[in-house]
Amino acid sequence: MARWWRPELGLAVVVLGLGVLVVIGTLDVSAAASQLGIGPRFFPMLVGGAMVLIGLFYVADVLRGGHGDPEESEDVDVEAPTDWRSVGLVSGIFLAFTALLNVLGWIIGASLLFFGLSLALGAEHKARSAVISVVVGLATYLLFVKGLGVSLPGGLLAGVI
């Protein structure tokens, strides 16, 4: 009897399930579309739909016998232990972001999130990382608030922007 259950099938089902949850959760979002005709449902539906499609293809591939090849690269050490320090730092940065988002606002909170993640993941140029983090935080705020009409917390900069 062939072994039908493999870890790849578990991942495929998780991708498919998350896609379905994103699509179902997006159906409850109600807001007017922006001047561009794109509302706050557009990107979540696009991502959720893509996840459902990829999950379906992935499940079909695994059930037909497909499997992932082991990582082969000269930069990959399969014997290396997990870097728990980086995992802890990234987890802590995300938790701090969620706790401080409403107080600091999106622009400051997201800028600190991106900067902290870049440092935790080994960025060598701190000043460049800081500038890029602020630009990405500001750009995403303007894209969502001005372009898509989604409300993001203004926080400390609420009266300025």
Side-chain angles (χ1 to χ4, degrees):
M1 180 173 148
R3 191 175 134 215
W4 65 274
W5 178 257
R6 296 184 318 218
E8 293 97 344
L9 186 59
L11 179 62
V13 169
V14 167
V15 170
L16 179 62
L18 287 175
V20 169
L21 289 176
V22 168
V23 169
I24 290 172
T26 304
L27 293 176
D28 289 338
V29 174
S30 61
S34 70
Q35 294 175 347
L36 301 173
I38 298 173
R41 289 184 183 180
F42 179 74
F43 286 112
M45 288 298 276
L46 184 69
V47 170
M51 289 177 71
V52 168
L53 193 62
I54 290 170
L56 287 172
F57 282 122
Y58 196 14
V59 167
D61 181 56
V62 171
L63 291 177
R64 293 177 56 204
H67 58 84
D69 294 325
E71 186 71 35
E72 292 182 16
S73 173
E74 59 187 55
D75 295 334
V76 175
D77 182 9
V78 293
E79 302 296 325
T82 303
D83 184 5
W84 291 109
R85 179 184 175 274
S86 294
V87 172
L89 279 172
V90 169
S91 300
I93 290 167
F94 273 113
L95 288 175
F97 172 71
T98 58
L100 297 173
L101 179 61
N102 286 330
V103 176
L104 298 176
W106 176 263
I107 295 172
I108 296 173
S111 298
L112 291 173
L113 170 74
F114 298 138
F115 182 65
L117 290 176
S118 67
L119 292 181
L121 297 176
E124 295 179 5
H125 304 284
K126 293 176 183 162
R128 183 171 51 190
S129 295
V131 170
I132 292 172
S133 297
V134 171
V135 169
V136 170
L138 183 62
T140 54
Y141 181 85
L142 292 175
L143 173 71
F144 278 90
V145 172
K146 304 294 183 190
L148 299 175
V150 175
S151 176
L152 292 176
L156 299 175
L157 299 176
V160 178
I161 282 191

